[in-house]
Amino acid sequence: METVVFPAPNALTEAQIDPKIDLWAEIKRLKHEKNAIILAHYYQDPELQDIADYVGDSLDLSRAAAATDADMIVFCGVRFMAEVAKILSPDKTVVIPDADAGCSLEDSCPPKEFSEFRAKHPDHISLTYINCSAAVKAHSDIIVTSSNAKYIIDQIPADQPILFAPDRHLGGWLARETGRQMVLWDGVCIVHDQFSERELIKLKGHHPGTPVAAHPECHDGILQHADHVGSTRSILDYVTTSSESEFIIATEMHIIHQMQKQAPGKTFIPAPGNDGSCNCANCPFMALNSLEKLYLSMVNEAPGIYISDELRLQALKPLQKMLEMSPPPAKKPVTQAAE
Ligand code: 13P
Ligand code: SF4
């Protein structure tokens, strides 16, 4: 019942790309030729964000994938995001530049162990973070993202016990914010788990009064110092609309590219990791995608995501529940890159 990612037989390889071609122009040409849409997460390399039709957080991108009338969805993000696109838009060809782009949260939560966890708590409703495999989604009641989780929990009767997987930091933050008792799966995002509270306090000392914006995948030692906690999209909205001109950013560092584009006069300082440097807030899974691999995925129409009907329909139910229970989309559309 697993998702299958197919490489194409006789596929063009990176070594075979003609060095004389203008990759940017070729990708644009293929986009029109194949009626494709390119979706990119804020954690992608700046050139992938800049060539995408839409750049967004997990919820924005799920909505864009569900709504598109393109024939092909090219997902510059990680595998679980491309799987969601395929589950919501089964008739489209869905490709991802690098099929090895996984996620530490997904890895922490194998489907078999997850169904045993569920079986131990038969009275609990299972809210599952979208950062998980299609098979784990299939065993869940409602999928959430960091931008809609609080809103969805508030619609669940107060006496209903909740299981939350796989991110224990996001789950812990949600439990504190909503006052709900929640049984948490013990997974973490390796990027948000590595920020250092001690180094953050030192950095704040050098920048007195500078607000800290943090993603709820960060551990509590970071969240306690945050002036704003929210999804990537909400952090972006916070820094662009705030009257402050300098911010410390505790999330994957490539979102700073989008902040600089949307608020060019402001300063964004990456939160430090354990060694005091800021270089470790770089997701190694997101980093697997590149402009070359994006081009190849469009030429080869591979690696493509394929999901059996049985698994797709099971995973679709909790995703549809998420879309039904989410707040209405923000008035302004997700970022649309210029042609
Ligand atoms: P959001 O963009 O939904 O905040 O998710 C962050 C993330 O870690 C995606 O992998
Ligand atoms: Fe997974 Fe963390 Fe990378 Fe997001 S940033 S894809 S949660 S490892």
Side-chain angles (χ1 to χ4, degrees):
M1 234 187 35
E2 290 295 321
T3 302
V4 182
V5 182
F6 276 128
N10 307 318
L12 186 73
T13 65
E14 199 157 333
Q16 293 167 332
I17 300 177
D18 178 353
K20 291 193 180 59
I21 65 167
D22 174 351
L23 276 181
W24 187 278
E26 276 301 296
I27 290 169
K28 294 275 177 192
R29 186 187 62 74
L30 285 164
K31 216 162 71 72
H32 291 292
E33 184 184 300
K34 302 202 175 200
N35 188 25
I37 186 174
I38 302 175
L39 307 180
H41 190 267
Y42 294 122
Y43 294 166
Q44 287 288 271
D45 190 85
E47 60 184 356
L48 296 176
Q49 293 188 40
D50 290 347
I51 204 162
D53 296 292
Y54 293 98
V55 189
D57 71 5
S58 309
L59 181 61
D60 288 334
L61 294 174
S62 303
R63 283 174 159 153
T68 185
D69 55 9
D71 295 320
M72 181 193 273
I73 300 172
V74 186
F75 215 117
C76 296
V78 291
R79 208 174 41 237
F80 76 79
M81 296 178 176
E83 278 182 359
V84 168
K86 185 69 181 176
I87 293 164
L88 294 174
S89 274
D91 300 333
K92 319 277 178 200
T93 300
V94 177
V95 297
I96 181 167
D98 192 316
D100 291 331
C103 171
S104 65
L105 285 167
E106 175 179 346
D107 293 344
S108 77
C109 193
K112 188 170 166 290
E113 279 85 334
F114 180 71
S115 40
E116 286 163 9
F117 175 66
R118 280 223 66 180
K120 275 194 212 139
H121 303 89
D123 301 333
H124 288 57
I125 190 168
S126 135
L127 250 65
T128 308
Y129 193 31
I130 197 163
N131 298 37
C132 64
S133 64
V136 165
K137 287 184 178 76
H139 288 116
S140 304
D141 293 315
I142 310 173
I143 301 302
V144 298
T145 76
S146 48
S147 66
N148 61 19
K150 263 206 284 185
Y151 190 88
I152 289 178
I153 290 172
D154 287 344
Q155 296 169 63
I156 296 172
D159 58 353
Q160 170 65 63
I162 297 173
L163 286 187
F164 188 85
D167 188 340
R168 73 178 147 90
H169 296 322
L170 173 61
W173 177 72
L174 287 168
R176 292 191 293 280
E177 287 287 305
T178 61
R180 301 293 288 261
Q181 289 285 336
M182 287 165 59
V183 178
L184 307 179
W185 183 271
D186 189 16
V188 295
C189 160
I190 50 169
V191 178
H192 293 86
D193 195 44
Q194 57 75 40
F195 290 118
S196 161
E197 181 176 17
R198 183 176 304 166
E199 295 295 336
L200 178 62
I201 291 169
K202 278 191 217 163
L203 183 67
K204 278 168 65 80
H206 293 298
H207 297 267
T210 294
V212 176
H215 196 281
E217 288 175 15
C218 292
H219 57 85
D220 190 38
I222 299 297
L223 297 181
Q224 279 179 23
H225 302 281
D227 300 277
H228 178 82
V229 179
S231 75
T232 50
R233 165 67 179 276
S234 121
I235 294 176
L236 190 59
D237 287 348
Y238 169 70
V239 302
T240 50
T241 57
S242 162
S243 57
E244 300 287 338
S245 60
E246 183 179 80
F247 304 86
I248 296 172
I249 306 299
T251 190
E252 214 274 358
M253 62 197 231
H254 288 99
I255 195 173
I256 291 178
H257 172 65
Q258 207 54 232
M259 293 173 175
Q260 285 164 339
K261 279 178 82 171
Q262 294 189 22
K266 297 189 177 184
T267 304
F268 305 104
I269 307 166
N274 286 322
D275 61 357
S277 93
C278 57
N279 292 331
C280 25
N282 187 349
C283 173
F285 305 104
M286 293 274 181
L288 289 172
N289 294 330
S290 64
L291 202 65
E292 286 75 11
K293 290 180 191 170
L294 165 59
Y295 167 71
L296 289 172
S297 69
M298 296 181 80
V299 172
N300 294 326
E301 302 195 7
I305 307 283
Y306 298 84
I307 304 180
S308 70
D309 277 350
E310 187 195 359
L311 174 56
R312 190 186 79 76
L313 292 172
Q314 287 174 18
L316 179 62
K317 266 201 237 162
L319 274 168
Q320 270 174 337
K321 219 89 211 110
M322 170 186 88
L323 294 174
E324 285 159 24
M325 295 175 82
S326 291
K331 274 191 215 93
K332 67 178 174 171
V334 289
T335 311
Q336 188 152 12
E339 268 297 300

